[in-house]
Amino acid sequence: MSSQVKRIKVNLNKKLSSSYEISIGHDIIGKIGTIIAENRIADRYVVVTDSNVSVLYGELFLKELRKAGGEKAKAEIIEFPAGEASKNITTALTIVGRLLNLGVDRKSALLALGGGVVGDMTGFIASVFMRSIPYIQVPTSLLAQVDSSIGGKTAVDLPEGKNLLGTFYQPRGVFVDLKFLNTLPASEFNNGMAEIIKYGIIDDPDFFCLLEEGVEAIKKRDEAFLERIVTTSCRTKKKIVEIDEKDQGLRHILNFGHTIGHAVESGSEYKIPHGSAISAGMIAAARISERLYDFPSSDRARIERLIEAVGLPGYIPEFIRTEGVLARLKWDKKKSGTMINFVLLKKIGMPFVTAQVTESTLREVIEELRK
Ligand code: ADP
Ligand code: ZN
């Protein structure tokens, strides 16, 4: 059953031209084509997707686009192998070659149909192809729906590190169809849940309570509940991005759990999923906040309980060495040439940024979380 489409406006730069809408609903694939056609973003569309999403939704999506655009509507699809390993400049150049072969020009738009990998890479190509063409995000993973599709960060990875080549380039629209989540594997679902919990912790104690009360609904992937929490998450992300589009201040709070989380992720050589790594990172940040800044231990316990209740691991697996995690944090510090900023908490909903965390505190907290 298709639902009402909720629309959230993202206002950037106070310029109307760079504003766009996030449309959210259940089974809205059919409406996406109509809304795009109404807005006359381009006269030709190329869907970029990965091999998994293409099998599930590629043809269906193209059909809807063509239906909405009428007889003359031109829509093609380009797919690349699923997975983070594809998010590189070689894949980007292959896609660019395909675009040139198809005769794509600046009157065309790209549609990113997929998870964060598809979104980041399609946005990157759109931002540089022929000095930029429009693109639209159609995120299909929970993580992309609540996080990476909103805010206009685009990138590919380099051998030296993730997301090292990229731009800020806003999409012309974001379409969040919750129906895509029906086919999402559990570990991918959990990656998105970790970001949703993060929004509760950094922005909204009421939302955090809602998540605590909704653990069963989350586990059942209850449609109405998911729509509610995805919508709140999109609103939070858009609010933060509106204030700090280019990541110069407030947007840092979105890194809650990510400083240690990224170090754990790379310390595992990317063997553990992003959601698991940032769950451990969020708990580490809560424990550091409790030790150093009087963050209430009851709040810290609530964070740990919620993370574990939704099925995310709140610990750092045995095979990840503490020294490896610390080395990665030091490397971050050296690379940026400044102190590492940690996002810590005064209360749930009240984050702050500080560089005042000593190595010994970090070591102790990381050790505590090892299992
Ligand atoms: P993320 O979205 O977490 O940043 P990816 O773009 O790699 O990372 O997506 C995660 C995985 O989930 C990929 O293998 C992708 O093909 C797959 N995927 C994305 N959306 C769906 C979906 N709706 N159903 C099934 N698999 C999906
Ligand atoms: Zn993240």
Side-chain angles (χ1 to χ4, degrees):
M1 262 274 288
S2 97
S3 68
Q4 280 291 95
V5 181
K6 284 199 196 112
R7 292 178 169 197
I8 301 173
K9 195 145 181 106
V10 185
N11 293 305
L12 292 161
N13 276 331
K14 305 204 170 45
K15 271 191 297 177
L16 221 55
S17 59
S18 61
S19 300
Y20 57 93
E21 278 181 346
I22 308 167
S23 307
I24 305 175
H26 196 269
D27 200 4
I28 59 169
I29 252 201
K31 293 179 188 154
I32 296 176
T34 320
I35 296 176
I36 293 172
E38 266 170 27
N39 289 319
R40 295 216 188 88
I41 290 168
D43 51 22
R44 177 177 187 171
Y45 295 95
V46 179
V47 178
V48 180
T49 190
D50 75 18
S51 47
N52 293 338
V53 178
S54 178
V55 173
L56 292 165
Y57 304 108
E59 273 310 309
L60 179 75
F61 192 66
L62 271 185
K63 213 168 80 192
E64 293 296 344
L65 266 183
R66 290 189 178 127
K67 213 160 69 189
E71 285 285 287
K72 291 199 299 294
K74 273 194 176 171
E76 282 105 352
I77 192 160
I78 296 177
E79 92 175 51
F80 62 85
E84 184 78 26
S86 286
K87 199 177 126 178
N88 56 46
I89 194 73
T90 311
T91 315
L93 289 177
T94 308
I95 295 171
V96 165
R98 298 276 306 278
L99 294 175
L100 291 171
N101 273 338
L102 287 171
V104 166
D105 60 22
R106 299 186 70 192
K107 288 200 264 351
S108 312
L110 303 184
L111 284 154
L113 176 71
V117 169
V118 170
D120 283 8
M121 188 153 62
T122 307
F124 177 67
I125 295 168
S127 73
V128 290
F129 185 75
M130 296 190 172
R131 300 206 171 88
S132 88
I133 60 173
Y135 80 115
I136 291 158
Q137 292 275 18
V138 188
T140 61
S141 72
L142 186 58
L143 184 126
Q145 292 188 342
V146 298
D147 186 9
S148 58
S149 71
I150 304 162
K153 279 191 180 177
T154 86
V156 292
D157 301 336
L158 293 179
E160 291 83 356
K162 284 192 172 200
N163 297 325
L164 288 182
L165 200 61
T167 55
F168 285 100
Y169 184 57
Q170 298 296 337
R172 300 291 284 269
V174 181
F175 292 91
V176 176
D177 189 337
L178 291 138
K179 199 177 172 202
F180 289 128
L181 302 180
N182 291 344
T183 54
L184 196 67
S187 95
E188 301 301 340
F189 185 81
N190 277 353
N191 285 340
M193 268 320 299
E195 305 289 351
I196 291 175
I197 291 173
K198 179 187 81 178
Y199 292 129
I201 299 173
I202 60 171
D203 186 62
D204 186 348
D206 292 339
F207 184 52
F208 190 87
C209 286
L210 179 73
L211 295 172
E212 288 177 317
E213 285 156 15
V215 166
E216 287 314 309
I218 292 168
K219 284 190 173 156
K220 282 192 296 204
R221 299 200 193 179
D222 177 89
E223 254 168 41
F225 193 75
L226 280 185
E227 185 164 340
R228 200 167 158 197
I229 63 177
V230 167
T231 305
T232 305
S233 300
C234 290
R235 276 190 213 288
T236 301
K237 174 95 193 236
K238 90 121 202 178
K239 184 177 77 182
I240 295 169
V241 167
E242 273 180 351
I243 298 171
D244 180 21
E245 183 185 355
K246 297 273 164 75
D247 206 356
Q248 287 160 333
L250 183 71
R251 211 164 158 167
H252 292 348
I253 66 169
L254 291 169
N255 271 338
F256 177 71
H258 281 62
T259 309
I260 296 173
H262 280 148
V264 169
E265 209 176 1
S266 79
S268 81
E269 282 163 8
Y270 296 94
K271 287 193 181 72
I272 67 168
H274 183 68
S276 306
I278 68 160
S279 293
M282 291 193 288
I283 292 179
R287 290 192 180 191
I288 296 170
S289 308
E290 181 187 3
R291 278 170 182 241
L292 304 180
Y293 294 97
D294 291 331
F295 177 58
S297 66
S298 53
D299 276 4
R300 193 260 308 139
R302 285 174 70 198
I303 291 174
E304 296 188 6
R305 267 201 305 274
L306 179 58
I307 285 174
E308 287 182 22
V310 301
L312 281 158
Y315 57 86
I316 301 173
E318 186 82 66
F319 76 93
I320 302 172
R321 290 172 43 248
T322 302
E323 291 314 315
V325 177
L326 289 170
R328 163 65 202 243
L329 286 168
K330 276 191 209 147
W331 186 78
D332 274 355
K333 186 166 137 189
K334 205 170 135 206
K335 200 181 59 173
S336 66
T338 53
M339 303 289 281
I340 309 171
N341 285 322
F342 290 88
V343 184
L344 300 180
L345 300 164
K346 292 199 175 98
K347 283 192 227 163
I348 288 178
M350 245 198 231
F352 67 101
V353 178
T354 177
Q356 307 301 317
V357 181
T358 61
E359 186 174 329
S360 64
T361 305
L362 281 171
R363 188 188 301 273
E364 279 164 30
V365 169
I366 292 165
E367 277 296 321
E368 254 177 45
L369 290 178
R370 311 246 349 259
K371 211 176 198 177

